[in-house]
Amino acid sequence: MRIVTPLKNLDRELARFRGRVKFGAAFALLLAGVLLARAFHLQVVAHEHYIERAESNRISLVPAPPNRGLILDRKGRVLAENYSAYTVELTRAEADDMEATLAEIGKLIEITPGQLRRFRRLLAESHEFETVPLKSKLTDEEVAILAANLYRLPGAEVRARLFRNYQGGPGMAHVVGFIGRINDRDLRRVRESGLDKDYKGTVHIGKTGLEQSYETLLHGRAGFDRMETDASGRAVRMISRIPPVPGKDLRLHLDASLQEVAEHAFGDYLGGLVALDPNTGGVLALVSKPGFDPNLFVDGIDPETWKSLNESPERPMVNRALRGIYPPGSTIKPLMALAGLELGLREPDDSIDDPGFFRLPNSQHRFRDWKPGGHGIVDLRRSISQSCDIYYYRLAVDMGIDRMHDYLTQFGLGQKTGIDLQGESSGLLPSRAWKQRRWKQPWYPGETVIAGIGQGYHLTTPLQLATMTAMLANGGKRIQPRLVDAVRDPHTRAWQTQAPVMLGEVAIDPENLAVVRQGMMDVTRPGGTAAASAAGAAYGIAGKTGTAQVVGIKQGARYDATRLAREHRDHALFVAYAPAENPVIAVAVMVENGGSGSGTAAPIARAVFDYYLTGKRPGTMKLETDDAAD
Amino acid sequence: MQRTRHWILRRLSHLDLILLALVLLLLGISVAVVASASGQSPARISGHLVNVGLALSLMIVMANIPPHLLSKVGPVLYVAGVVLLVAVAVFGEIRNGSRRWLNLGVMAFQPSELLKLAVPLMLAWYFQRNESGLRGKHFLIGGALLAVPFVLILRQPDLGTALMIGASGFYLLFFAGLPWKIILGGGVLAGASLPVLWGFLHDYQRERVLTLLDPASDPLGAGYHIIQSTIAIGSGGLFGKGWSQGTQSQLDFIPERTTDFVFAVFGEEFGYVGTILLVALYLSIVARGLVIAARAPTLFGRLMAATLSLNLFTYVFVNMGMVSGILPVVGVPLPLMSYGGTALVTLLLGMGILMSVATHRQLNKT
């Protein structure tokens, strides 16, 4: 039994304890005060701030990409359109094991090796959170199979996407171009031009052709859905939406059938063709052979296909019509003749006796005519129709390189035409200053001689030749060539025609021009270099043949096409407009290794004229043709 | 039949009705908030109701055990707890980088939970034994009894639990009459040793403290919890968004929103008015507990009642302080609110002890 503590002591202990209890109560009240003060600050003082933060937490703007504008030909035929299709896409960040998921999908639906290669390339280029398409244009059955199995395919999803479909065929690829997935460089450009908001949610951007040059018009502006989202970003419901603004439709001057006829006329040959409306600058056809299927690029191209396209010796990706540079050869002779008349160096009746060669004073070097033995007595008209080299050697020497350069410059040679496509070459119109700058060498008289027949340093694109020809057809008006004729507003549905852009006008004495035109008409008449190609035409054609040397021919050696490998044969050129009296179409044709302008290039131009002016569709050209005189 | 009912009524007579009402009120709120926070998931709600039922039964059992019997359990529980802590240190299972669990085959057991009751019981038993002449040496021994489990838990490492157990031990020493000189001196010493203590903290613990000072520095990591919970509470405003209308909680922005962060849900849906009511309910429990302590006939009862009351409010303060962003994130549930069985059982056992102290007025053995 313990001794009981004295009562007095117990009272004191109890009093002390109660004191401490009161202190404990005060402590609890203090802590409660702190909590309530903090809650007051959060819930009353800073309430507005937190409401805002909760809203921005909760609401996310989900971009709704706009429909891309259509591209139509002059008759309203669709060249580029949109369609919606299901794709199966994968996200690296969400896939636990990408290879396993791929293998699983491969068991469910058919994935071609090409699709797999393309997917791996895109995956390597993409960010972790980006979705990368594996297979697009899924069939309903494939969608159903995948949808049923998505739960065991981590990182995979099936989505409806807008795609671009190019119906113009491979020949149209160089005009319409194609869209491709936006890469980092595109993104930076979009951001720098302040358009990043418009591109929210957009996967594709124009990469080449009209798709590239009219990107801003075609694209439109993204809309935004205000969505309520949960913490993992899943949309729970839509609150409001700002609809996207669709892109504008483009209508071209270009006639898809005409283009098709032109391509067809090329047969197996490579080359470029540009047909212009000389009165508006509208591009009626723009061919670069070979073409390729632009649809391959829309959703990313697989590396093997890309390699085969890019490394093909035929270089299908190069737009020869505006990038291919070739010596213009004899096709500049009408222009040289006009310069001779306009500069007062020649009268139409001034004639030479052509012995088949030309020598500079104090030189033994013989500049030969293409025709052994020469053309005999040649005046200006005959110099064009017969393509007499000697006439132009002399004219060039009389004119001098400076005046030649200045006069030809007015017709756009050696400059970009400003067509509404990107990547155009400027070619080269040689001058004394250029040579000094480029080669640090003076200009030699012999160089003037060959410049007179479009050889030597001269380099032009088919587009430049077409522009030059259009100027001869319209009397000197330099109009910027243009593919797009009209733009349609998506809301009003009204087409707005684009006015032609005049770059300048060369003042030409009509009499002088008439003589040159007569010479060009003679080209297609019996006795002219392209007479065979123009035979039986229901309208007059004014033109000029030409060849561009691929390999230099040694002094004294003769050019013989049949003894050369095809890739060493000369490029064949032909420029022409029709009807000769009242021209509505001007054409420049360049056939790589075509041999002679009259043999291969002129028939292609004839086919284009026939279709455009009479609606007649000609047959395909044979690869090997009899070489006619040039 | 008559006898059985009589027996049951006798058991229920040991319940303190005021305390019972407060506890039931809080548990009712808890069920409502957990229901809302879980998106009215039936599994979560029924799980919670089972926990509540089990904990309430254990509370009733506890209330019927007279304090002098309870006090004898103290040393046993304490020794067992310390032995288990040592066992954990030696054989324990490592989860999330901490050695806190003993794998008993059927379940993982966390001995530190046991110490939350064992430490005050042990100390109260010790002071009750030496009631007649408490001197400095008794406080020294008391302090040592507290230090052993404190250090063991701190080393697991489990800073949160160690501090909460440390607090409960300190409250007991305080109510037992720990001299003010020592308290103040200890406070100064503790303040001075903070930099040293900082050196002993684990990297993740330091990070938590730093995150508290600037939550925006790590918005996707440790700061995410604090940022999202303060947004939830703050956006609740004066009257709240209404039950199950909280966008933050309903849209998954609050992590652990049925357990440690349940106050964020409550604050968003019931606003400042709700917060005041909630704090008032907790304060009422503390007040009732302190009244029971002041009226208790034995030192053991007084010490246990006062300590358990203040301890409960410490949990409230630490949890709400953490969720509202004034204290570092430590894993402390909100008493009587958070989903989770172990903590609820521990707390209602404590409430049972309070009721036992309140209803067993006789000094001597029955």
Side-chain angles (χ1 to χ4, degrees):
Chain A
M1 220 28 204
R2 264 189 294 144
I3 299 155
V4 177
T5 322
L7 270 177
K8 197 183 165 194
N9 197 3
L10 191 74
D11 281 346
R12 216 182 65 202
E13 283 297 315
L14 206 60
R16 185 157 85 172
F17 175 75
R18 286 186 173 153
R20 295 231 161 170
V21 163
K22 280 176 193 153
F23 191 86
F27 179 64
L29 278 173
L30 179 78
L31 294 186
V34 170
L35 287 180
L36 288 177
R38 173 63 179 171
F40 184 78
H41 173 77
L42 290 178
Q43 299 186 301
V44 180
V45 179
H47 172 57
E48 291 296 321
H49 167 73
Y50 285 107
I51 273 285
E52 255 170 53
R53 298 209 37 194
E55 284 294 289
S56 65
N57 236 349
R58 173 172 84 96
I59 291 164
S60 64
L61 291 176
V62 179
N67 275 358
R68 200 172 172 85
L70 307 178
I71 300 177
L72 312 170
D73 90 336
R74 67 185 299 135
K75 290 175 181 150
R77 283 171 290 208
V78 176
L79 303 178
E81 62 173 352
N82 308 309
Y83 69 99
S84 179
Y86 283 100
T87 68
V88 56
E89 302 179 334
L90 295 160
T91 312
R92 213 185 322 156
E94 283 168 21
D96 311 326
D97 181 352
M98 183 59 85
E99 287 307 314
T101 305
L102 280 175
E104 275 303 310
I105 295 175
K107 282 184 215 158
L108 297 168
I109 62 171
E110 195 199 334
I111 305 290
T112 66
Q115 285 163 341
L116 209 58
R117 280 194 301 265
R118 182 202 62 173
F119 173 77
R120 289 191 200 284
R121 180 178 66 82
L122 290 174
L123 190 71
E125 290 169 359
S126 66
H127 305 292
E128 202 187 346
F129 297 98
E130 224 176 303
T131 59
V132 178
L134 173 62
K135 183 179 187 179
S136 38
K137 300 165 203 168
L138 297 172
T139 64
D140 289 348
E141 196 192 346
E142 286 173 325
V143 171
I145 292 171
L146 286 172
N149 287 284
L150 275 181
Y151 71 94
R152 55 189 189 92
L153 301 171
E157 60 183 320
V158 174
R159 265 207 225 186
R161 289 271 193 202
L162 274 183
F163 284 91
R164 200 72 159 160
N165 185 37
Y166 298 107
Q167 299 190 330
M172 212 60 92
H174 288 291
V175 177
V176 174
F178 53 80
I179 58 170
R181 289 172 69 81
I182 295 181
N183 61 29
D184 285 346
R185 214 175 46 235
D186 300 325
L187 212 59
R188 207 173 322 124
R189 213 171 32 239
V190 163
R191 212 171 291 136
E192 275 163 11
S193 47
L195 296 172
D196 38 343
K197 201 174 164 234
D198 297 347
Y199 274 80
K200 285 272 153 43
T202 297
V203 180
H204 293 121
I205 195 166
K207 297 282 188 181
T208 66
L210 292 170
E211 294 275 32
Q212 179 190 26
S213 52
Y214 285 89
E215 170 62 28
T216 338
L217 282 180
L218 287 167
H219 180 266
R221 287 213 310 268
F224 290 94
D225 295 343
R226 288 179 77 232
M227 299 294 288
E228 181 171 279
T229 49
D230 66 12
S232 43
R234 268 190 306 268
V236 180
R237 68 187 175 96
M238 190 196 287
I239 296 167
S240 67
R241 81 176 304 185
I242 306 163
V245 179
K248 295 187 162 93
D249 297 338
L250 304 181
R251 189 179 68 206
L252 308 186
H253 286 287
L254 189 132
D255 182 325
S257 305
L258 185 70
Q259 174 102 354
E260 199 183 301
V261 165
E263 265 179 65
H264 197 57
F266 263 88
D268 295 333
Y269 280 108
L270 311 185
L273 174 148
V274 176
L276 297 175
D277 179 337
N279 304 307
T280 63
V283 177
L284 303 173
L286 190 144
V287 175
S288 177
K289 288 271 291 182
F292 57 92
D293 181 5
N295 293 303
L296 290 173
F297 289 83
V298 172
D299 209 28
I301 187 166
D302 87 82
E304 299 262 302
T305 313
W306 163 252
K307 208 174 145 200
S308 69
L309 272 177
N310 198 36
E311 292 176 5
S312 160
E314 299 191 337
R315 308 187 66 195
M317 304 286 291
V318 175
N319 189 339
R320 288 166 163 80
L322 51 132
R323 284 189 69 80
I325 46 174
Y326 313 91
S330 304
T331 58
I332 66 157
K333 282 175 182 166
L335 204 53
M336 283 297 292
L338 186 63
L341 296 171
E342 287 283 305
L343 297 171
L345 300 167
R346 292 289 186 276
E347 288 296 323
D349 297 332
D350 289 347
S351 299
I352 59 156
D353 188 0
D354 166 20
F357 63 89
F358 171 80
R359 260 199 315 232
L360 280 168
N362 309 319
S363 167
Q364 285 306 304
H365 185 90
R366 288 180 168 213
F367 294 91
R368 293 162 311 149
D369 196 285
W370 66 269
K371 188 176 183 184
H375 298 275
I377 305 295
V378 177
D379 67 359
L380 189 131
R381 268 178 76 165
R382 241 175 92 78
S383 77
I384 296 173
S385 66
Q386 296 291 303
S387 198
C388 172
D389 289 340
I390 308 304
Y391 187 93
Y392 290 96
Y393 289 151
R394 287 190 162 190
L395 178 58
V397 171
D398 292 348
M399 199 183 296
I401 186 63
D402 301 323
R403 280 192 285 182
M404 190 194 299
H405 173 266
D406 290 350
Y407 196 79
L408 299 189
T409 296
Q410 299 181 77
F411 287 78
L413 298 182
Q415 303 149 56
K416 291 182 180 173
T417 64
I419 191 176
D420 46 355
L421 286 177
Q422 292 182 29
E424 184 188 356
S425 296
S426 55
L428 177 63
L429 182 60
S431 70
R432 219 181 278 279
W434 164 80
K435 198 181 173 203
Q436 188 61 44
R437 199 169 59 237
R438 176 70 181 82
W439 300 102
K440 309 255 180 289
Q441 276 180 11
W443 185 264
Y444 299 115
E447 292 168 340
T448 309
V449 177
I450 55 170
I453 61 160
Q455 300 287 353
Y457 298 116
H458 269 300
L459 289 173
T460 50
T461 64
L463 181 61
Q464 284 171 351
L465 291 180
T467 313
M468 174 195 83
T469 311
M471 287 179 75
L472 290 171
N474 68 25
K477 288 198 286 282
R478 198 166 142 209
I479 310 169
Q480 198 171 62
R482 232 169 223 289
L483 282 154
V484 173
D485 177 30
V487 173
R488 177 158 62 186
D489 185 280
H491 294 306
T492 63
R493 307 293 294 164
W495 286 103
Q496 195 181 1
T497 311
Q498 310 286 97
V501 179
M502 292 289 293
L503 297 173
E505 184 160 8
V506 186
I508 306 170
D509 183 335
E511 281 180 31
N512 291 339
L513 185 61
V515 176
V516 172
R517 284 177 162 183
Q518 282 299 324
M520 289 174 78
M521 282 186 245
D522 292 345
V523 169
T524 62
R525 287 176 180 142
T529 51
S533 309
Y539 47 88
I541 301 172
K544 182 68 195 81
T545 53
T547 47
Q549 280 181 10
V550 173
V551 283
I553 299 164
K554 288 192 199 86
Q555 277 284 313
R558 281 203 53 208
Y559 174 76
D560 181 356
T562 54
R563 291 219 304 252
L564 283 168
R566 188 179 165 196
E567 62 267 29
H568 292 144
R569 282 189 218 162
D570 291 344
H571 297 326
L573 293 161
F574 188 65
V575 300
Y577 58 85
E581 299 75 20
N582 178 29
V584 295
I585 179 169
V587 166
V589 185
M590 198 288 308
V591 184
E592 280 186 15
N593 313 114
S596 77
S598 56
T600 52
I604 295 172
R606 170 70 190 275
V608 168
F609 288 154
D610 273 357
Y611 180 77
Y612 192 67
L613 298 171
T614 69
K616 184 182 144 216
R617 279 177 188 265
T620 318
M621 235 185 63
K622 290 192 305 262
L623 181 61
E624 298 297 331
T625 44
D626 298 331
D627 282 359
D630 179 11
Chain B
M1 206 59 185
Q2 196 66 25
R3 281 184 58 147
T4 314
R5 178 182 284 179
H6 180 65
W7 184 83
I8 290 172
L9 282 176
R10 240 186 8 201
R11 297 310 107 200
L12 293 180
S13 71
H14 282 290
L15 297 176
D16 181 79
L17 289 181
I18 296 175
L19 212 48
L20 183 68
L22 291 169
V23 165
L24 288 179
L25 206 52
L26 272 165
L27 287 175
I29 295 172
S30 170
V31 171
V33 177
V34 167
S36 162
S38 64
Q40 292 161 43
S41 137
R44 203 72 170 158
I45 298 169
S46 60
H48 193 44
L49 285 172
V50 167
N51 286 340
V52 166
L54 179 77
L56 280 174
S57 321
L58 289 171
M59 179 186 80
I60 294 169
V61 171
M62 210 63 173
N64 283 283
I65 301 173
H68 73 271
L69 283 181
L70 269 175
S71 77
K72 285 174 184 156
V73 181
V76 182
L77 272 184
Y78 178 86
V79 171
V82 169
V83 167
L84 283 173
L85 281 180
V86 174
V88 163
V90 181
F91 310 109
E93 196 178 301
I94 296 180
R95 290 192 197 171
N96 307 325
S98 301
R99 202 183 282 275
R100 299 178 189 171
W101 287 267
L102 266 188
N103 194 341
L104 302 183
V106 283
M107 59 177 283
F109 176 68
Q110 201 173 335
S112 55
E113 201 63 37
L114 185 68
L115 272 304
K116 284 181 180 171
L117 280 179
V119 164
L121 279 173
M122 173 73 203
L123 289 175
W125 171 83
Y126 177 74
F127 285 117
Q128 172 79 70
R129 254 176 74 95
N130 300 290
E131 193 186 2
S132 45
L134 283 178
R135 291 191 305 276
K137 120 180 158 186
H138 297 110
F139 288 103
L140 211 64
I141 292 171
L145 285 172
L146 171 61
V148 172
F150 178 79
V151 170
L152 281 171
I153 295 169
L154 194 62
R155 275 179 49 101
Q156 284 184 344
D158 188 352
L159 182 66
T161 309
L163 286 177
M164 298 316 291
I165 287 171
S168 69
F170 170 77
Y171 293 147
L172 204 130
L173 294 175
F174 171 77
F175 288 119
L178 187 68
W180 281 108
K181 275 186 288 187
I182 296 176
I183 295 171
L184 294 176
V188 170
L189 206 71
S193 67
L194 269 182
V196 184
L197 195 71
W198 181 255
F200 282 109
L201 287 181
H202 286 258
D203 281 343
Y204 82 94
Q205 291 167 332
R206 281 185 217 172
E207 210 168 86
R208 279 186 192 173
V209 177
L210 291 177
T211 300
L212 175 78
L213 298 176
D214 182 17
S217 68
D218 186 14
L220 293 175
Y224 180 80
H225 288 43
I226 299 175
I227 292 173
Q228 296 302 340
S229 62
T230 50
I231 290 175
I233 297 168
S235 68
L238 200 54
F239 299 105
K241 297 175 184 170
W243 183 72
S244 82
Q245 298 296 308
T247 56
Q248 281 283 294
S249 33
Q250 301 302 324
L251 295 170
D252 266 7
F253 285 100
I254 304 167
E256 298 166 51
R257 61 188 190 281
T258 58
T259 55
D260 288 1
F261 281 76
V262 74
F263 173 61
V265 179
F266 180 88
E268 182 180 21
E269 299 191 344
F270 300 101
Y272 191 56
V273 172
T275 306
I276 293 175
L277 182 84
L278 189 69
V279 172
L281 277 175
Y282 283 121
L283 276 180
S284 307
I285 290 184
V286 175
R288 180 63 187 164
L290 291 180
V291 167
I292 291 171
R295 289 181 186 164
T298 64
L299 180 62
F300 174 83
R302 284 198 291 274
L303 291 181
M304 280 310 291
T307 298
L308 288 175
S309 310
L310 214 53
N311 208 32
L312 174 114
F313 201 76
T314 309
Y315 276 76
V316 171
F317 179 73
V318 170
N319 177 276
M320 283 172 65
M322 148 186 119
V323 175
S324 61
I326 49 171
L327 290 178
V329 175
V330 284
V332 171
L334 184 60
L336 306 174
M337 284 288 283
S338 291
Y339 181 93
T342 320
L344 193 62
V345 165
T346 310
L347 267 152
L348 286 192
L349 285 179
M351 290 297 112
I353 294 171
L354 270 177
M355 292 181 183
S356 162
V357 171
T359 55
H360 294 87
R361 311 277 318 153
Q362 63 273 51
L363 273 167
N364 299 322
K365 300 169 185 125
T366 25

